[in-house]
Amino acid sequence: MAQYPDLAGKVAVITGAGRRQGLGEAMAKRLAAEGCTVVITDLGQGQGEHLPDSAIGTTDEMQGIVHDIEQAGGKAAAFVCNVLNPDEVASAARFAVDTFGRLDIWVNNAGVGYLMKPILEMSVEEWDTVLNVNLRGAFLGTKYAAEQMVKLGNGGKIINIGSQASKSAFAHASAYTTSKHGMTGLTRVAAQELGPHGINVNQICPNHVTTGLGAWQNAHFSEVTGKGYETYMADMRARIPLGRPGLQEDIAKVCAFLCSEQAAYISGEAMNVSGGEEYH
Ligand SMILES: NC(=O)c1ccc[n+]([C@@H]2O[C@H](COP(=O)([O-])OP(=O)(O)OC[C@H]3O[C@@H](n4cnc5c(N)ncnc54)[C@H](O)[C@@H]3O)[C@@H](O)[C@H]2O)c1
């Protein structure tokens, strides 16, 4: 049910939103339910050599999410965009404007959280992949989205999907943690530079969502720590004051709020959505 009437008619682009059960899908569906037209972007088939095949948002999945949104009465389109490629990111921003006449919301969601290794075992190429997708990709998204938003003169909202790793350090996650800490810096600088254009820039910092990437991480770390899945998850629940890991919808709700006029005076924020686990 729509909660933010000012979002009706807005146009949103979300990167890395083509994977079923990912945070991107949930945010896309939530923004569409609020009346936004949503452009689902992702790698599509055959471009994600650095990822396990099962971790790539394929064109079929992207079209499936568009179909779901249309079936629910919303408006959406799919656009293949590798956030490593500046031309493709710029094209995605132009596509929204050329096709729907506006660009109000850009969500830097594409991320790689699969290359989790100790520093001594991590290759330079793996480090570069994580930094390039998670941080350089968010820079490109911010740059080309802002370019269109400034040109259109209607202001806008840029949302970066960070992590608890934007605030805290996690062993085996040097590149991921560094990229997400860097995203906090990017968020703050972009908020300073783009505020005068009426563009709010904020970061959402989820802790653990047990689907998609989060499911892989839970399985991986339960093995690495030798705890086994059940004990690992029980320990996680015990650490979280609200007693459960996050749901995709928890992130989608905050995304809709930050994109709405209810959050008009919030910018440069890195907002924890962690059930109380993270608090700085
Ligand atoms: N799931 C969690 O527990 C969790 C927690 C904190 C933060 N996050 C962050 O949320 C975001 C989404 O994660 P998710 O859990 O939905 O994972 P996911 O793996 O389902 O989604 C990531 C998406 O990014 C896409 N992607 C990867 N490389 C790309 C590239 N070069 N260009 C374009 N798209 C690319 C993938 O195809 C995939 O669709 C990520 O930035 C992740 O770091 C997730």
Side-chain angles (χ1 to χ4, degrees):
M1 198 180 38
Q3 299 208 332
Y4 304 109
D6 59 275
L7 287 179
K10 297 270 167 73
V11 174
V13 176
I14 309 179
T15 66
R19 189 160 179 239
R20 286 293 191 178
Q21 295 202 312
L23 303 186
E25 177 185 19
M27 291 188 285
K29 289 184 172 175
R30 181 60 204 249
L31 289 177
E34 295 288 345
C36 294
T37 298
V38 184
V39 181
I40 309 288
T41 78
D42 210 313
L43 285 169
Q45 260 114 351
Q47 290 192 56
E49 291 76 12
H50 55 284
L51 292 174
D53 281 353
S54 60
I56 295 167
T58 64
T59 45
D60 282 353
E61 284 177 292
M62 292 161 72
Q63 291 298 348
I65 294 168
V66 168
H67 177 77
D68 288 355
I69 289 173
E70 289 174 345
Q71 286 292 105
K75 274 180 79 177
F79 190 90
V80 169
C81 169
N82 184 342
V83 301
L84 294 173
N85 184 324
D87 291 342
E88 290 185 23
V89 180
S91 296
R94 274 199 307 274
F95 171 81
V97 177
D98 293 348
T99 313
F100 300 113
R102 314 176 55 99
L103 177 57
D104 305 287
I105 295 164
W106 182 281
V107 184
N108 288 309
N109 170 68
V112 174
Y114 291 90
L115 301 170
M116 297 285 179
K117 293 179 181 177
I119 291 168
L120 292 177
E121 292 171 21
M122 185 138 199
S123 72
V124 175
E125 290 73 23
E126 288 166 336
W127 169 276
D128 286 346
T129 294
V130 177
L131 265 290
N132 284 338
V133 175
N134 295 7
L135 189 52
R136 184 174 179 269
F139 159 70
L140 293 175
T142 301
K143 176 178 171 64
Y144 292 116
E147 190 176 272
Q148 295 297 330
M149 289 172 178
V150 169
K151 212 184 290 175
L152 292 164
N154 299 319
K157 313 281 182 189
I158 295 175
I159 306 291
N160 293 324
I161 305 303
S163 165
Q164 188 174 12
S166 298
K167 310 278 186 82
S168 289
F170 295 92
H172 292 217
S174 58
Y176 188 77
T177 300
T178 303
S179 70
K180 296 296 188 180
H181 270 63
M183 185 180 252
T184 306
L186 174 67
T187 302
R188 291 173 177 160
V189 174
Q192 286 198 0
E193 293 185 7
L194 300 176
H197 298 283
I199 300 170
N200 303 52
V201 187
N202 289 296
Q203 184 182 200
I204 299 173
C205 301
N207 57 342
H208 322 279
V209 180
T210 50
T211 54
L213 172 59
W216 182 89
Q217 288 179 352
N218 293 338
H220 177 74
F221 284 114
S222 55
E223 202 177 304
V224 167
T225 55
K227 286 183 176 181
Y229 188 75
E230 289 312 321
T231 307
Y232 180 82
M233 293 305 292
D235 285 356
M236 179 189 290
R237 284 191 293 275
R239 281 198 307 274
I240 301 171
L242 291 179
R244 65 166 175 84
L247 305 171
Q248 298 105 298
E249 290 70 28
D250 294 320
I251 312 308
K253 283 178 197 165
V254 175
C255 177
F257 165 68
L258 287 173
C259 291
S260 80
E261 283 314 291
Q262 298 300 314
Y265 200 54
I266 300 176
S267 198
E269 190 62 64
M271 189 176 282
N272 299 318
V273 183
S274 72
E277 186 183 8
E278 186 67 58
Y279 43 75
H280 71 285

